[in-house]
């Protein structure tokens, strides 16, 4: 992964040097006012992106092959954590909805006392 990143950075720096030379020689237009530096960075990015896409295809595939197992492990770990959280939430919800024996007795006492008052 580090190799791919360094190669990508090298292509960008090379493109930046070429763009800088073209801008200061007058071949490419200059930016307006103080935006000349940003203009050169944007131009270098626009030129280096397709070059990197084509030139670094094999290196990008190697980097993704290194990353894929780690990503799969992370995804599986996250899925197992989500499943555990869901089951804990379901258990807590079921416990809150199911009245216990004490709650049922209190409800029956309250019902009898209200029916006794009504008569």
């Amino acid at each position: 992964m580090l190799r791919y990143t360094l190669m990508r950075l090298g292509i960008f720096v090379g493109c930046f040097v070429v763009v800088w030379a073209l801008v200061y020689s007058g071949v490419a237009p200059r930016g307006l006012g103080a935006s000349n530096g940003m203009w050169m960075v944007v131009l270098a990015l626009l030129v280096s992106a397709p070059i990197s896409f084509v030139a670094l295809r094999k290196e990008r595939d190697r980097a993704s092959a290194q990353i894929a197992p780690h990503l799969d492990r992370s995804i599986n770990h996250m899925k197992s954590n989500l499943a555990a959280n869901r089951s804990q939430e379901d258990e807590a919800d079921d416990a809150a909805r199911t009245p216990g024996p004490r709650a049922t007795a209190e409800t029956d006492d309250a019902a009898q006392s209200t029916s006794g008052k009504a008569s």
Side-chain angles (χ1 to χ4, degrees), residues 10 24 39 55 89 97-98 110:
Y24 280 105
W39 171 249
E89 184 178 316
R97 291 176 189 257
T98 306

Side-chain angles (χ1 to χ4, degrees), residues 26-76:
V27 176
R30 292 182 185 263
L32 296 175
S35 68
N36 196 37
M38 185 59 103
W39 171 249
M40 289 188 300
V41 168
V42 169
L43 279 177
L45 282 172
L46 288 174
V47 171
S48 70
I51 293 171
S52 296
F53 184 73
V54 173
L56 299 179
R57 179 169 289 153
K58 289 181 184 177
E59 193 60 39
R60 187 173 48 251
D61 291 341
R62 279 190 214 121
S64 66
Q66 289 177 349
I67 292 172
H70 300 291
L71 186 61
D72 288 341
R73 254 185 277 136
S74 296
I75 290 172
N76 289 335

Side-chain angles (χ1 to χ4, degrees), residues 81-97:
N81 283 345
L82 286 172
N85 287 343
R86 278 191 206 112
S87 67
Q88 287 177 350
E89 184 178 316
D90 290 343
E91 290 170 4
D93 188 45
D94 290 344
R97 291 176 189 257

